[in-house]
Amino acid sequence: MNASTAPGPVVDADFLRRWLATAAAVVDREADRLTELDSPIGDADHGSNMRRGFTAAHAAVELEPPQTPGGVLTLVGAQLISTVGGAAGPLYGTLLRRAGKALGDGTPATPEEFRDALRTGVEAVGKLGGAVPGDKTMLDALVPAVEALSFALDSGAGLADGLAAARIAADEGAAATVPLQARKGRASYLGPRSIGHQDPGATSAALLVAALADTAAEAVA
């Protein structure tokens, strides 16, 4: 593994608290759109579920701020599991809890350590849901995002540029779910009728990656 050589922000507890605040605001703003996407192929509650979960997670972290980046992600993941209904809670909770545990008790994390932790979380989501990219799930945004971040860091980019690349990859991955037929989750019950709709999970995943990119960009501004 090559290490990034460009200067930039590091991932500490404050960085992830600012990410969480940005993510909660974005999810709140986009909740209606997420529900609209979920209506034809799901239970029409993805936006409201995500809003409730990230509002609760933000409040919990602000009430008792963890001192390590791993602690922030672990607490957020636990809150999402307990407050987000349907499959999204366990999946996003697993993503963040496993990433948090991978970071351990150290602070701050290097961009490469953060990338590796995200990869661990994404792999855990795939195992939990039995899904792979192309199944029309959140993995269609998360997997290309981690790959883009990894490529950028290995090419010498800093965290901000790496996450900017991840944001583009996640957005493209979410958009690419439109022509896919769902093979996992509630949408899979619709068979060919799931074609033509953007996956709400991939869309919310892209929003969370975008919040990371915005947080890193603001840190270097």
Side-chain angles (χ1 to χ4, degrees), residues 14-200:
D14 183 61
F15 177 91
L16 289 178
R17 285 178 60 195
R18 286 184 279 114
W19 161 73
L20 177 58
T22 300
V26 169
V27 166
D28 181 66
R29 187 181 69 230
E30 298 290 333
D32 289 346
R33 184 169 74 95
L34 293 175
T35 291
E36 182 178 346
L37 291 172
D38 195 34
S39 296
I41 60 174
D43 294 325
D45 59 2
H46 189 57
S48 57
N49 278 335
M50 291 292 286
R51 174 188 278 151
R52 181 171 58 253
F54 272 85
T55 299
H58 186 218
V61 167
E62 291 303 299
L63 181 64
E64 294 187 28
Q67 299 305 304
T68 65
V72 174
L73 293 182
T74 302
L75 178 55
V76 174
Q79 287 293 316
L80 295 182
I81 289 174
S82 64
T83 58
V84 177
L91 292 171
Y92 274 120
T94 294
L95 168 67
L96 297 177
R97 289 185 68 194
R98 291 297 295 271
K101 289 182 179 180
L103 288 176
D105 297 327
T107 185
T110 67
E112 288 76 18
E113 289 170 337
F114 185 55
R115 179 270 317 275
D116 292 344
L118 289 178
R119 179 178 288 152
T120 296
V122 171
E123 290 174 350
V125 169
K127 291 179 181 177
L128 178 63
V132 297
D135 283 344
K136 201 179 182 87
T137 71
M138 57 198 289
L139 291 179
D140 287 304
L142 293 174
V143 169
V146 172
E147 289 177 349
L149 172 61
S150 185
F151 180 82
L153 295 181
D154 289 347
S155 299
L159 182 64
D161 287 341
L163 288 174
R167 176 184 199 156
I168 294 171
D171 285 342
E172 292 177 346
T177 61
V178 173
L180 299 178
Q181 178 174 327
R183 294 195 290 260
K184 295 292 179 182
R186 174 75 170 75
S188 66
Y189 302 153
L190 299 177
R193 286 183 292 146
S194 64
I195 295 173
H197 303 280
Q198 182 163 320
D199 182 67

